[in-house]
Amino acid sequence: MKMNLIAGLVAGSTAVASVAYAEETITAVHAFPETLIYTQSFLAFVDKVNEAGAGVVQIEVRGGPEAIGMFQQPDAVRDGIVDMVYTPGSFYGGALPEKDALVASNLTAIETRQNGGIELIDQIHQEKMGLKYLGWFDSGVCYNLWTRDEPSFDADGNLEVEGLKLRGNAVYNAFFANYLGAQVIDLPTGEVYAALQRGVVDATGWTQIGLIDLKWNEFLNYRIEPCFFSTDLGVIVNLDKWNALSPEAQKIVQDVAIQHEIDSFNALRTKRDEDFAALDAQGMKVVSLEGDAKANYLLAAREKNWERMQGLMAEHPMGTANYDRLIELFYDAEADR
């Protein structure tokens, strides 16, 4: 009887120990194809977590848009179908319009991590969508307009877009359609190559990085400066899953994410310079707005975005309570001077 009791206690303690030290798994998907530079950045983050979290926590990547459609991924992580998603905030902007603060930002993840901006975005994600906002990756990269044909300007130096078939989406349209007055055709990233090839569109907004990866440079010959907006790529985690992780696992994942905000900023600045050099060598021409035309262009990009954000926030139960604070934390007026 005594031996059976001891054996039972030993077996029980072994089971408890195995549970305490069991390696936790986080399932993940990414919005863009694996070949794109931004996805490669996310996969580098995964590798870092898996190295630092050996025996404690691992991220298991289930694939990209072929596994779960890119626009369905935010709902999938909110509903617990997958634990983690790397995606632009713009893909769930209807549920969380506050993400436009990142789009209109002229600061980086490093700066907004320090000033409390990312903490506020995390709180809003938790309250409105039941998501943990883990980190803003690949920040510091802005957008340009890229065109097939040489752009034209009016007598005041403003960009003329009449007749331009411009690929649009939720990120660009407040600026492209409402300010520039362009004809916009909404297309997901994966359909743009074919649309350029067939002449469905002859211009698009896109980040400073990745045009070569997507092979859009086969059709686009001009880059219009200045750049505008900012990438809003981030990692979101199902909040129930996050809260269920051990404190040790949470710390590993969060610490690696914060470091990757720094690493990805530095890496993509280098990549941008390499891409620009490669495009220049292929004959890409750069056309720049100047003076008041440049200032008005940048002002419109920012203010049309904020206007859109404020209007959408007003439709939500939380209202516009965080509007002014978001602009304060994600925009530095001095940086634009």
Side-chain angles (χ1 to χ4, degrees), residues 45 113 134 137 253-263:
F45 158 73
R113 174 71 67 179
L134 189 67
F137 292 175
V253 176
Q254 185 65 86
D255 286 353
V256 172
I258 292 171
Q259 183 59 47
H260 193 68
E261 288 176 339
I262 300 169
D263 295 344

Side-chain angles (χ1 to χ4, degrees), residues 115-136:
N115 72 13
I118 291 180
E119 181 181 0
L120 177 57
I121 285 290
D122 179 26
Q123 291 172 1
I124 295 169
H125 275 75
Q126 294 192 34
E127 292 171 11
K128 295 187 77 168
M129 291 188 70
L131 296 172
K132 167 72 178 173
Y133 190 82
L134 189 67
W136 180 14

Side-chain angles (χ1 to χ4, degrees), residues 13-324:
S13 63
T14 301
V16 169
S18 66
V19 170
Y21 293 98
E23 191 173 71
E24 300 175 85
T25 300
I26 300 169
T27 59
V29 294
H30 44 82
F32 299 120
E34 188 172 339
T35 53
L36 194 60
I37 183 65
Y38 299 111
T39 305
Q40 293 170 23
S41 173
F42 171 67
L43 296 177
F45 158 73
V46 170
D47 288 343
K48 294 176 194 174
V49 170
N50 290 347
E51 181 179 355
V56 179
V57 62
Q58 298 284 283
I59 299 175
E60 178 186 299
V61 179
R62 297 277 177 88
E66 78 285 351
I68 300 175
M70 60 173 63
F71 298 117
Q72 285 72 53
Q73 290 178 6
D75 286 345
V77 69
R78 181 195 60 196
D79 297 340
I81 296 168
V82 66
D83 300 327
M84 173 185 285
V85 166
Y86 169 73
T87 184
S90 303
F91 284 5
Y92 54 94
L96 202 140
E98 290 87 347
K99 62 84 200 167
D100 272 353
L102 280 71
V103 173
S105 182
N106 62 354
L107 300 176
T108 68
I110 302 165
E111 293 164 311
T112 54
R113 174 71 67 179
Q114 291 172 345
N115 72 13
I118 291 180
E119 181 181 0
L120 177 57
I121 285 290
D122 179 26
Q123 291 172 1
I124 295 169
H125 275 75
Q126 294 192 34
E127 292 171 11
K128 295 187 77 168
M129 291 188 70
L131 296 172
K132 167 72 178 173
Y133 190 82
L134 189 67
W136 180 14
F137 292 175
D138 312 316
S139 68
V141 178
C142 52
Y143 289 73
N144 288 96
L145 263 179
W146 308 80
T147 67
R148 185 193 309 271
D149 301 319
E150 183 175 2
S152 59
F153 302 89
D154 66 18
D156 295 320
N158 297 303
L159 181 68
E160 293 183 322
V161 296
E162 185 176 356
L164 198 65
K165 294 174 290 186
L166 182 57
R167 177 254 177 158
N169 65 17
V171 181
Y172 312 135
N173 286 354
F175 174 41
F176 288 177
N178 297 344
Y179 173 70
L180 294 179
Q183 173 193 353
V184 294
I185 302 169
D186 286 1
L187 291 170
T189 304
E191 296 179 17
V192 176
Y193 181 91
L196 287 166
Q197 188 177 43
R198 297 195 308 267
V200 174
V201 296
D202 47 30
T204 184
W206 188 252
T207 64
Q208 296 171 310
I209 295 168
L211 204 77
I212 297 172
D213 298 333
L214 293 163
K215 299 183 180 180
W216 297 353
N217 57 307
E218 294 177 11
F219 310 103
L220 299 170
N221 304 306
Y222 293 86
R223 183 177 83 243
I224 299 172
E225 293 286 351
C227 66
F228 55 92
F229 289 170
S230 172
T231 53
D232 62 340
L233 290 154
V235 171
I236 48 180
V237 184
N238 178 276
L239 188 58
D240 290 338
K241 175 65 178 183
W242 179 257
N243 290 335
L245 293 173
S246 67
E248 183 182 9
Q250 288 182 347
K251 185 176 189 310
I252 290 169
V253 176
Q254 185 65 86
D255 286 353
V256 172
I258 292 171
Q259 183 59 47
H260 193 68
E261 288 176 339
I262 300 169
D263 295 344
S264 63
F265 167 78
N266 291 326
L268 291 191
R269 279 294 171 96
T270 301
K271 173 65 173 170
R272 177 198 63 190
D273 294 344
E274 292 172 350
D275 272 17
F276 276 9
L279 289 168
D280 288 347
Q282 294 170 16
M284 177 71 70
K285 298 177 178 61
V286 180
V287 178
S288 300
L289 284 83
E290 304 291 347
D292 289 343
K294 174 182 176 180
N296 292 336
Y297 183 81
L298 290 174
L299 180 67
R302 183 172 65 251
E303 292 194 342
K304 286 298 180 182
N305 196 282
W306 285 343
E307 182 182 302
R308 175 178 179 271
M309 179 176 79
Q310 187 175 37
L312 290 172
M313 287 174 67
E315 298 173 5
H316 286 244
M318 288 176 62
T320 59
N322 291 308
Y323 177 77
D324 291 334

